[in-house]
Amino acid sequence: MLRLASPDDQDTVYSIYMHPDVIPYLGYDPMSEAEFHAVFQELLDCRSFYVLEQEGIIAAFCRTTRQPGRASHVATLGTLAVAPRWRGTGIARQLLEQIFTLLKAQGVLRVELMLEVDNPRAFAFYSKLGFQQEGLMRAAYKRSSDAHYTDEIFMARLLAELPTAAS
């Protein structure tokens, strides 16, 4: 079941977020649960942080951000993670298919995301879902555990055919 996250989800989201297989690819370095409270509160406050429950527990989550003004047909995916127990089960695909349906119903026609170049599993996954690489952001990311900066790949997917200006 896809639903908006609630304050009661903090412990489970924290345990997934801070898992050693997940944390390298999300936007924060490891932190205590007390420190994570502010991060989680920001996710709740955006009113577009979704969790997907499987067998009564949170199996995955993701945040969507709608662009304003002339780009209101665009949404950005972020903070996407799958609980390690659910890796390889199709739960991420299920999450995104439900998110795409929700976004399309809200008028979103283009979905964007960024991922680290050292995450080939995610690149392959998003490519299979129809995302295409549109750019590379050099030195966009730095984990406190790394001496170097990491590039990020910018990808996007159209949810429908869009009219374009004649060339």
Side-chain angles (χ1 to χ4, degrees):
M1 173 179 86
L2 183 71
R3 63 173 175 80
L4 284 171
S6 75
D8 294 337
D9 299 326
Q10 182 174 335
D11 291 344
T12 305
V13 169
Y14 174 78
S15 68
I16 296 168
Y17 204 111
M18 294 299 148
H19 190 279
D21 293 340
V22 174
I23 190 72
Y25 305 111
L26 294 179
Y28 291 93
D29 287 315
M31 66 182 76
S32 70
E33 190 162 2
E35 293 170 309
F36 184 74
H37 179 74
V39 172
F40 187 72
Q41 190 60 53
E42 181 182 322
L43 290 168
L44 287 179
D45 290 348
C46 78
R47 301 289 303 152
S48 61
F49 181 59
Y50 295 91
V51 297
L52 181 66
E53 290 184 339
Q54 200 73 4
E55 298 175 7
I57 60 168
I58 296 171
F61 53 76
C62 128
R63 177 181 183 171
T64 65
T65 305
R66 187 84 180 261
Q67 302 302 319
R70 290 181 176 164
S72 64
H73 66 286
V74 179
T76 302
L77 293 180
T79 316
L80 193 149
V82 173
R85 169 184 171 202
W86 293 97
R87 279 181 96 177
T89 65
I91 202 76
R93 176 181 291 275
Q94 183 180 341
L95 169 68
L96 287 182
E97 286 173 355
Q98 290 185 43
I99 291 289
F100 295 156
T101 299
L102 179 72
L103 291 174
K104 199 169 180 182
Q106 295 172 357
V108 170
L109 302 174
R110 177 182 164 89
V111 179
E112 302 173 342
L113 60 85
M114 294 189 306
L115 67 131
E116 300 80 358
V117 296
D118 61 358
N119 193 350
R121 181 181 176 129
F123 185 84
F125 170 72
Y126 291 124
S127 295
K128 284 180 188 174
L129 286 179
F131 282 85
Q132 296 179 350
Q133 182 173 340
E134 293 188 348
L136 180 71
M137 297 172 193
R138 294 178 298 139
Y141 199 84
K142 183 168 185 323
R143 300 175 187 104
S144 64
S145 59
D146 293 343
H148 63 279
Y149 288 83
T150 301
D151 297 344
E152 284 196 311
I153 299 168
F154 181 76
M155 299 182 85
R157 172 188 164 166
L158 297 179
L159 298 179
E161 290 296 319
L162 304 179
T164 59
S167 303

